[in-house]
Amino acid sequence: MEGLNMIDKKEKISFENTEVAFASKTNTDLKRAYWMFKIVASNSMVNIGTVLTRVALAIKFPINWLVKPTIFNHFCGGEDIEDCSASIEQLSTFGIGTILDFSVEGKHEEKNLDATAQEVIKTTHKAKGNSKIPFCVFKVTGVARFDLLQKISSEAELNENEKEEYKRVIDRVDLICKNAFEANTPLLIDAEESWIQQAIDNIAYSMMAKYNKKEAIIYNTLQLYRHDRLAFYKKSVEKAKTNGYLMGMKLVRGAYMEKERERATENKYENPIQPNKEASDRDFNKALEFSIQNIDFVSICAGTHNEKSTLYLTELMDKAAISKDDKRIYFAQLLGMSDHISFNLSQQGYNVAKYMPYGPVKEVMPYLIRRAKENTSVKGQTGRELGLIKKELKRRKL
Ligand SMILES: Cc1cc2nc3c(=O)[nH]c(=O)nc-3n(C[C@H](O)[C@H](O)[C@H](O)COP(=O)(O)OP(=O)(O)OC[C@H]3O[C@@H](n4cnc5c(N)ncnc54)[C@H](O)[C@@H]3O)c2cc1C
């Protein structure tokens, strides 16, 4: 990994300690997780499961009894905010924060978009003065119609109705940001498909200009699997410096790779995705370096399950003499994944938080299907989760 060799490795943090990694898991939890990842690791099982789930949803066959005690309980905090309390408390016992993520997707009607905005606002209220909830988060597609964002990103002229609609979107986002600002809780804006990302970036930067004068409250997200993003990041930071606001940035590799490639091929435009995994890894780590070099202007949240990048950030911090609990630097993972990273980082004194998706089981299904598919396609990830769970089961003599 680029740059790693230049850094003193004496104090390298280890992610191998499974006793720490699974300290919050009972024996039953651990066995359930083992079987769940075993099933998820099988491509055909996930494909069959996905089809059956879609059919069940279409014919309104109740699936809660199957999904809730298994995959839902593993990856989600609950069906509503209050349901999440036990998981929030449990994580906080181990020094890990929660990022409440209302995971209802794919709604288009204005009343649903308003309702989602209100729910995100509820999370800011829950976070106010609560150190167990260091961030809030939302997706712009939760409060805006996808096709509208696509039209804006294509730079086509909006008609009068669309202009009105866009104004309502900005009002919703502004209200969420204002509530986060008043709760003094940083707010992450997730990144999405490249063909709507321009509109999301525009909204995110206008909110930063408004709310990030003294502290980074609004965070945009940078997907380093896109080959143009590192240069874009550098330009954005220059712009923030010139205009007198601070930059908040969540750094991720990116979640829509297959979809991006397919669309680019189908519509015959240049693929926005890096040529290979190494290029994504390289740019992710360069973005970490750039952030540390500009830490007086930039606050980051490293959203990753990659051990090498995580380790690299701890080493960059060490080299720059930045304290482990400096609030400008956070590490984040998804609930139910990479506990060996989250728990070991937290035990060493770093700032760590987990995304905790929540929502009615039926509504959260698209999120769960994505997790299942991700854990199948990213074979290394499932293998790693299973290997660690097996190691811990053996250590507990189970
Ligand atoms: C807290 C958190 C928040 C997140 N928020 C977002 C978000 O807002 N938007 C979003 O899009 N994603 C988001 N993600 C998902 C993230 O983008 C990744 O999909 C996921 O975390 C896996 O990447 P990784 O860094 O953990 O590392 P790894 O497992 O090492 O990397 C896997 C990733 O590398 C990239 N990759 C794999 N193969 C190739 C290839 N052949 N060529 C180029 N690149 C390749 C892909 O991005 C793939 O997901 C988030 C993840 C976390 C943990």
Side-chain angles (χ1 to χ4, degrees):
M1 187 131 317
E2 201 165 291
L4 257 183
N5 296 336
M6 292 154 55
I7 293 177
D8 184 358
K9 293 185 191 159
K10 300 200 284 284
E11 292 192 36
K12 216 168 164 179
I13 181 173
S14 164
F15 298 124
E16 298 302 319
N17 189 333
T18 58
E19 187 175 359
V20 172
F22 298 112
S24 72
K25 296 265 183 286
T26 62
N27 292 347
T28 314
D29 290 341
L30 209 59
K31 283 184 192 161
R32 189 187 64 203
Y34 174 76
W35 284 111
M36 204 210 54
F37 276 111
K38 267 287 239 213
I39 291 168
V40 157
S42 151
N43 221 330
S44 44
M45 283 298 278
V46 170
N47 285 338
I48 294 167
T50 305
V51 172
L52 287 180
T53 307
R54 291 210 169 113
V55 171
L57 288 174
I59 63 170
K60 297 195 167 61
F61 183 80
I63 50 166
N64 285 23
W65 62 273
L66 177 64
V67 174
K68 189 146 187 210
T70 54
I71 185 166
F72 181 89
N73 280 349
H74 186 83
F75 289 111
C76 300
E79 296 205 62
D80 59 33
I81 295 189
E82 289 320 314
D83 248 10
C84 295
S85 299
S87 303
I88 297 172
E89 288 304 318
Q90 199 193 27
L91 287 179
S92 83
T93 318
F94 297 91
I96 296 173
T98 290
I99 306 174
L100 285 169
D101 178 17
F102 181 55
S103 295
V104 171
E105 304 178 9
K107 306 270 177 187
H108 311 292
E109 286 139 28
E110 291 280 307
K111 69 172 192 321
N112 292 325
L113 303 176
D114 283 334
T116 300
Q118 285 308 319
E119 184 66 32
V120 179
I121 287 168
K122 266 199 212 165
T123 67
T124 67
H125 294 166
K126 176 93 176 166
K128 190 171 182 175
N130 185 350
S131 60
K132 295 168 190 168
I133 306 181
F135 289 94
C136 290
V137 66
F138 78 104
K139 278 190 170 43
V140 174
T141 47
V143 297
R145 197 167 51 86
F146 191 98
D147 291 350
L148 179 73
L149 297 173
Q150 184 170 351
K151 188 160 180 188
I152 293 165
S153 300
S154 73
E155 290 173 19
E157 178 97 23
L158 299 185
N159 64 35
E160 286 311 311
N161 284 343
E162 289 165 339
K163 281 183 191 163
E164 284 296 314
E165 187 185 351
Y166 184 52
K167 193 179 164 305
R168 290 194 295 276
V169 169
I170 297 296
D171 287 347
R172 278 183 207 114
V173 175
D174 197 5
L175 194 60
I176 295 171
C177 292
K178 181 168 170 281
N179 275 274
F181 180 81
E182 286 169 0
N184 199 22
T185 302
L187 174 72
L188 307 169
I189 301 180
D190 276 347
E192 305 186 54
E193 289 87 345
S194 63
W195 53 100
I196 59 165
Q197 190 57 40
Q198 176 73 56
I200 298 173
D201 289 337
N202 293 348
I203 295 174
Y205 292 121
S206 72
M207 294 297 147
M208 277 191 210
K210 190 164 176 185
Y211 295 106
N212 287 11
K213 296 275 185 215
K214 293 203 178 107
E215 270 182 78
I217 293 288
I218 311 301
Y219 284 53
N220 197 17
T221 300
L222 195 75
Q223 297 159 311
L224 281 312
Y225 71 177
R226 282 182 57 175
H227 55 66
D228 62 347
R229 291 292 96 173
L230 187 61
F232 174 73
Y233 185 26
K234 292 180 178 171
K235 249 199 223 157
S236 309
V237 170
E238 281 316 308
K239 198 167 139 196
K241 284 182 187 172
T242 312
N243 292 298
Y245 62 89
L246 296 163
M247 172 72 56
M249 193 58 84
K250 169 156 61 84
L251 303 171
V252 300
R253 282 178 171 75
Y256 307 93
M257 189 172 70
E258 276 96 19
K259 217 171 165 185
E260 292 281 354
R261 285 201 169 128
E262 274 165 26
R263 188 172 186 272
T265 309
E266 219 171 276
N267 295 302
K268 299 190 176 55
Y269 60 84
E270 192 203 349
N271 184 359
I273 305 299
Q274 305 268 17
N276 50 44
K277 171 82 163 62
E278 290 67 36
S280 296
D281 292 345
R282 180 201 62 216
D283 276 11
F284 188 91
N285 290 348
K286 278 183 183 288
L288 292 177
E289 287 165 17
F290 176 76
S291 306
I292 296 297
Q293 283 156 11
N294 289 276
I295 199 66
D296 289 336
F297 297 97
V298 177
S299 294
I300 57 166
C301 174
T304 182
H305 298 145
N306 182 300
E307 292 172 20
K308 284 185 180 163
S309 293
T310 304
L311 189 62
Y312 189 43
L313 178 53
T314 65
E315 292 176 335
L316 287 169
M317 288 169 71
D318 189 34
K319 198 174 170 220
I322 297 172
S323 74
K324 291 176 178 178
D325 64 349
D326 189 308
K327 70 177 200 173
R328 294 170 298 183
I329 302 174
Y330 252 88
F331 296 81
Q333 287 79 41
L334 306 179
L335 191 71
M337 287 175 75
S338 296
D339 281 348
H340 65 297
I341 296 182
S342 316
F343 282 71
N344 280 298
L345 275 174
S346 163
Q347 200 214 27
Q348 295 288 319
Y350 292 96
N351 295 322
V352 189
K354 296 273 231 199
Y355 263 39
M356 187 180 288
Y358 74 93
V361 175
K362 203 176 97 191
E363 307 278 358
V364 175
M365 279 318 291
Y367 175 87
L368 293 176
I369 290 172
R370 264 210 311 284
R371 287 290 78 76
K373 288 203 156 163
E374 176 182 275
N375 279 289
T376 311
S377 64
V378 188
K379 285 204 179 62
Q381 177 70 32
T382 316
R384 185 95 181 106
E385 298 281 356
L386 265 176
L388 290 160
I389 294 171
K390 266 196 226 161
K391 188 174 162 192
E392 179 59 7
L393 284 170
K394 199 166 162 201
R395 195 194 66 79
R396 292 189 194 181
K397 301 190 173 55
L398 293 172

